[in-house]
Amino acid sequence: MSGDSAIVAEEDDGIRLDRWFKRHRPGTPHALIARWARSGELTIDGRKADVSDRIEAGQTIAMPVPPAAPSGPRPRKEKALSPADIALAEAMVIHRDKSALVLDKPPGLATQGGTKTDSHVDGLLGALQGDAAVRPKLVHRLDKDTSGALLVARTPRAAAWFAKAFSNRSARKTYWAIVVGVPDIAQGEIDLPLAKQPGSGGEKMHVDEKGLPSKSRYRVIERAGNSAAWVELQPLTGRTHQLRVHMAAIGHPIVGDGKYGGKGAFLTGTISRKLHLHSRRLRIDHPDGGAIDISAPLPPHFAESLEALGFDPLLGDLLTEEAPRASTKTVQKAKAKAHAKQVRKARRGERRGRAEAKVQSKPGAAKPAKSKPGTAKSGAPKPGGKPPAKRGPAKPGAAKPGAAKPGAAKTGARGPAPRKPR
């Protein structure tokens, strides 16, 4: 069978080999690729490869030529985008570089498609591909009715980088919300495990002691009497609907969230019935160095509600957020480093003590002279003092040899005790 080969491009750096086939040899059955790998016919730089191997830019992939009419699913056809779709996609962009896009997702637009959901952000990303070899890729999501900052990767390498940042919690997401009532404690942490609610088809979550660990941090920015509060929220874990379930669980559902707050989640008057949850700020390390730190403007209904409730929009950005907590691994590494330093110091002290003991144990070695506490040896200077001066003839009124002033150290041999003056 004749062979085929290809060189891995920069945009494919870091992806799995089977993912490369989906992009560049669409229609090749996965079972056939696995058979090539088992038989050694599929190689990377001449070495036997596996379908799960990560590939690097510049490597050479060699394989047999697949059958002329491979069986298997056909690649998904991209939906043709209308001028209005393209305009909407471009209008959402609030940050753009060679590796990433940050979109300001409007409320009511789903992040991904699903049953009876034809219009979504994922379907619009083709309009933002430009001259890139691959279309942009979502690396996290927002609920359909949640607005704000949404990160999109422009290369496979960036997608892997950002996915890792979200999984290890180094990315920081800050949300704004208006909630019903005012929490008794101005700021705190909600630690309630969450699970899918039975009978909801996975569309609804609830607090369950057997669920997955879930933590959220909240802080009250401003209050409107006892009727409502404007709060800052930070999800410390990434569960579905986490912020919405947690706020409802402590008795303060997000305004407009009838799914978790029921009828009590709506305010009277001119306050919109839309969900008041907004992804305000996103901070994440960039794969090319530095970091992305971007804030998304408020949607009209949220801004109007702030004004109607008498909240000052400037207060939200004036609050200084707490420094991110060190991860458990970081703390353990720091403790291990400190312990190793103490062990090295102790060992240096032991080696120094053994060396001194060897010197003293040698035959003919001078033993250090003992001295009484508070006295200095004859002819030796006091610690930190000057060497003793040479003795000359006694001056009139000078102390006789052997006499010493009270409290002074005695020097030389003892003489007769001075007579008392009559």
Side-chain angles (χ1 to χ4, degrees):
M1 183 181 287
S2 59
D4 184 16
S5 65
I7 297 176
V8 179
E10 185 68 33
E11 59 268 16
D12 294 324
D13 184 60
I15 68 171
R16 284 171 50 119
L17 183 57
D18 52 359
R19 175 66 62 178
W20 182 89
F21 271 92
K22 287 184 179 181
R23 290 180 180 173
H24 302 285
R25 300 293 187 272
T28 306
H30 187 276
L32 178 60
I33 301 170
R35 187 165 69 247
W36 288 344
R38 289 193 300 270
S39 64
E41 296 176 281
L42 178 61
T43 63
I44 299 176
D45 285 345
R47 297 187 301 273
K48 185 178 178 180
D50 188 83
V51 291
S52 62
D53 287 346
R54 296 278 176 179
I55 59 178
E56 299 177 4
Q59 290 181 327
T60 299
I61 302 173
M63 75 216 84
V65 176
S71 58
R74 295 182 179 181
R76 184 183 65 178
K77 292 183 178 180
E78 291 290 337
K79 178 184 175 183
L81 298 176
S82 67
D85 292 332
I86 297 172
L88 173 60
E90 288 291 343
M92 287 192 293
V93 178
I94 55 176
H95 171 85
R96 188 197 311 258
D97 61 51
K98 67 178 183 180
S99 297
L101 296 167
V102 180
L103 310 180
D104 179 17
K105 188 187 84 66
L109 179 64
T111 303
Q112 292 176 296
T115 306
K116 299 180 181 179
T117 304
D118 297 326
S119 180
H120 47 83
V121 174
D122 192 33
L124 299 174
L125 294 181
L128 303 175
Q129 181 172 341
D131 297 331
V134 295
R135 73 193 296 273
K137 182 180 180 181
L138 294 167
V139 289
H140 71 123
R141 62 186 295 274
L142 296 176
D143 294 342
K144 178 179 179 179
D145 295 321
T146 301
S147 58
L150 180 67
L151 181 66
V152 178
R154 300 190 72 185
T155 66
R157 173 174 170 267
W161 175 278
F162 292 137
K164 185 176 180 181
F166 280 112
S167 65
N168 65 22
R169 311 300 175 199
S170 63
R172 299 198 70 199
K173 296 179 286 183
T174 301
Y175 290 76
W176 281 356
I178 299 177
V179 300
V180 176
V182 181
D184 294 332
I185 302 173
Q187 60 181 8
E189 189 173 290
I190 305 169
D191 186 0
L192 294 172
L194 302 179
K196 292 181 178 180
Q197 183 169 308
S200 67
E203 293 295 321
K204 194 172 182 180
M205 306 292 287
H206 73 136
V207 175
D208 185 348
E209 61 180 11
K210 296 181 180 180
L212 295 173
S214 306
K215 292 184 180 181
S216 304
R217 188 179 298 154
Y218 76 89
R219 175 163 43 196
V220 176
I221 300 172
E222 198 174 4
R223 57 186 293 171
N226 293 322
S227 61
W230 174 21
V231 296
E232 174 190 275
L233 302 172
Q234 290 181 359
L236 304 182
T237 51
R239 312 301 176 204
T240 302
H241 299 170
Q242 177 178 312
L243 298 177
R244 297 166 62 182
V245 181
H246 275 174
M247 293 311 296
I250 65 171
H252 301 284
I254 297 173
V255 173
D257 190 8
K259 187 169 192 171
Y260 291 103
K263 295 180 180 178
F266 300 95
L267 298 178
T268 58
T270 60
I271 304 303
S272 172
R273 295 180 65 85
K274 292 182 179 180
L275 182 68
H276 287 68
L277 180 61
H278 177 70
S279 175
R280 172 61 175 177
R281 186 177 180 185
L282 174 66
R283 284 170 291 172
I284 190 169
D285 290 337
H286 197 284
D288 301 327
I292 295 173
D293 188 347
I294 192 77
S295 295
L298 289 170
H301 79 278
F302 200 122
E304 291 166 3
S305 295
L306 288 183
E307 184 178 0
L309 292 167
F311 294 140
D312 184 355
L314 297 178
L315 288 178
D317 292 322
L318 290 177
L319 286 175
T320 303
E321 294 180 354
E322 299 174 5
R325 296 182 176 181
S327 66
T328 303
K329 288 185 179 179
T330 303
V331 173
Q332 290 175 346
K333 285 182 180 179
K335 287 182 178 179
K337 188 176 180 181
H339 176 68
K341 188 175 181 181
Q342 291 177 351
V343 171
R344 287 195 300 271
K345 281 186 176 181
R347 287 178 178 174
R348 283 200 298 269
E350 291 174 3
R351 288 195 295 269
R352 192 179 297 114
R354 287 195 295 268
E356 291 176 356
K358 285 182 180 179
V359 171
Q360 292 179 10
S361 63
K362 287 182 179 179
K367 294 182 180 180
K370 296 181 180 180
S371 60
K372 295 181 180 180
T375 62
K377 296 297 289 183
S378 173
K382 295 180 181 180
K386 298 180 180 178
K390 294 182 180 179
R391 293 177 183 167
K395 295 182 180 180
K400 293 180 180 180
K405 293 182 180 180
K410 295 180 180 181
T411 59
R414 290 184 180 180
R419 297 179 179 177
K420 296 181 180 178
R422 294 179 180 176

